[in-house]
Amino acid sequence: MNTLTTLERRGMAAISTPGGKMLIVAADQRNGMKAVMNDAPDGPNSITAQQLSDAKADLVRYLGNAAPAILLDPEVALPRVADEGVLSRDTALVVGLDASGFETVDGLRYTKFVPGMSPRRVRELGGDVAKMLWYMRPDLQDDGSRVADEIRELVKACTDEGLLLIVEILVYRLDGESEEAYAAAFPGLVAESARLSVECGAKVLKLQYPGSAEASAAVTEASAGVPWAVLSAGVDHETFIKQVETAVANGAGGAMAGRSLWKDSMAVSAETREHLLTTRALPRLQELEAVVDGTLVASNGGWSAP
């Protein structure tokens, strides 16, 4: 296990429920958030930066402030939600360092930093924790690869800054790889990505649901004591909480939920946003927290206390 420093332990506590499980509302999407704002008269592509910023502020106000932590981007949401007092003093701020999209080099995907971002800049934006996304194919990359070097470098820089870093890993299908071959390889790719990330110094992981209880247990073993949280990957809420229940029962340390919570609650209309976020997205967050903490479990097609 990669040991947390005292400051990193404080960061970990800030993003966790009273029951000690990670729970973060993911709202660092930019184009992905625009895409679900379907009430824009001229379509999602017409949404302005100001409109997106307003939407993110409301997402914080009516949903994120009810969670232990919220993940936001430094291009649209920040520093506005901090400077204007939208973000609650009781909700930790996780700052995403990764820019939208990726570049492909020799068939492999690589993410880039948002220009000007660094561990110090995260602190300047009021961040309690940092998050960086990397794409990985551990069957083609090892501890001497570019992605491994990048993880090691940022982990060290964040540790030197006294800042906890969440290492998010996405595995992906290669060009020319069949859907069947990728599906068969997927659980092992998630586990081996966890293993490689931990070997590179990762102290907290954000990972795709590997597909089953057995696969979740394999990820936990590969993580070697480093806590990992399940990301929602755009699935519906009902699917995600079942995945979270399975993953947590097999060693996962929590969840980081984005579109599963709010993808059908975002709108250009401020009135519609407020209504949907408070009546649809917020109850989902409350249910997810109960599942993460083990106070709500699946039972005969519904949910009940254990």
Side-chain angles (χ1 to χ4, degrees), residues 1-16 22 123 128-130 154-166 201-204 227:
M1 180 176 179
N2 298 325
T3 304
L4 299 176
T5 66
T6 300
L7 286 171
E8 289 168 340
R9 289 181 188 279
R10 293 292 297 166
M12 191 68 180
I15 62 174
S16 299
M22 288 179 281
R123 288 297 194 199
D128 301 286
V129 175
L154 187 57
V155 168
K156 182 180 185 305
C158 286
T159 298
D160 290 346
E161 186 63 40
L163 184 69
L164 181 64
L165 173 67
I166 298 169
K203 300 179 181 182
V204 183

Side-chain angles (χ1 to χ4, degrees), residues 101-116:
F102 56 85
E103 63 175 350
T104 303
V105 180
D106 297 328
L108 297 175
R109 298 180 182 180
Y110 296 94
T111 42
K112 294 183 178 180
F113 285 93
V114 172

Side-chain angles (χ1 to χ4, degrees), residues 91-283:
T91 298
L93 174 59
V94 183
V95 180
L97 298 168
D98 44 283
S100 296
F102 56 85
E103 63 175 350
T104 303
V105 180
D106 297 328
L108 297 175
R109 298 180 182 180
Y110 296 94
T111 42
K112 294 183 178 180
F113 285 93
V114 172
M117 287 306 297
S118 66
R120 168 53 57 179
R121 183 59 182 154
V122 170
R123 288 297 194 199
E124 291 170 351
L125 290 170
D128 301 286
V129 175
K131 188 274 294 187
M132 181 65 187
L133 162 67
W134 283 278
Y135 290 92
M136 190 179 288
R137 283 292 303 227
D139 51 341
L140 300 175
Q141 296 166 308
D142 58 22
D143 61 3
S145 63
R146 168 180 163 182
V147 68
D149 289 341
E150 290 179 356
I151 293 172
R152 275 191 292 264
E153 182 179 347
L154 187 57
V155 168
K156 182 180 185 305
C158 286
T159 298
D160 290 346
E161 186 63 40
L163 184 69
L164 181 64
L165 173 67
I166 298 169
V167 173
E168 177 179 6
I169 301 295
L170 292 181
V171 303
Y172 57 96
R173 186 159 66 99
L174 301 168
D175 290 342
E177 183 178 26
S178 71
E179 291 185 11
E180 294 77 11
Y182 176 62
F186 180 78
L189 292 174
V190 176
E192 287 307 306
S193 291
R195 189 186 311 279
L196 179 56
S197 299
V198 170
E199 288 175 359
C200 294
K203 300 179 181 182
V204 183
L205 296 169
K206 177 184 179 183
L207 304 170
Q208 293 145 302
Y209 177 65
S212 67
E214 181 182 9
S216 297
V219 170
T220 299
E221 181 179 2
S223 299
V226 167
W228 64 282
V230 190
L231 58 89
S232 61
V235 301
D236 61 71
H237 172 67
E238 291 74 19
T239 298
F240 185 54
I241 56 174
K242 291 176 182 177
Q243 292 177 346
V244 170
E245 182 187 30
T246 299
V248 169
N250 288 276
M256 300 189 192
R259 288 168 291 170
S260 69
L261 293 174
W262 50 254
K263 66 182 177 183
D264 54 359
S265 297
M266 299 303 289
V268 173
S269 163
E271 293 78 12
T272 300
R273 269 199 313 268
E274 179 180 358
H275 173 71
L276 292 176
L277 285 169
T278 53
T279 63
R280 180 181 290 168
L282 182 58

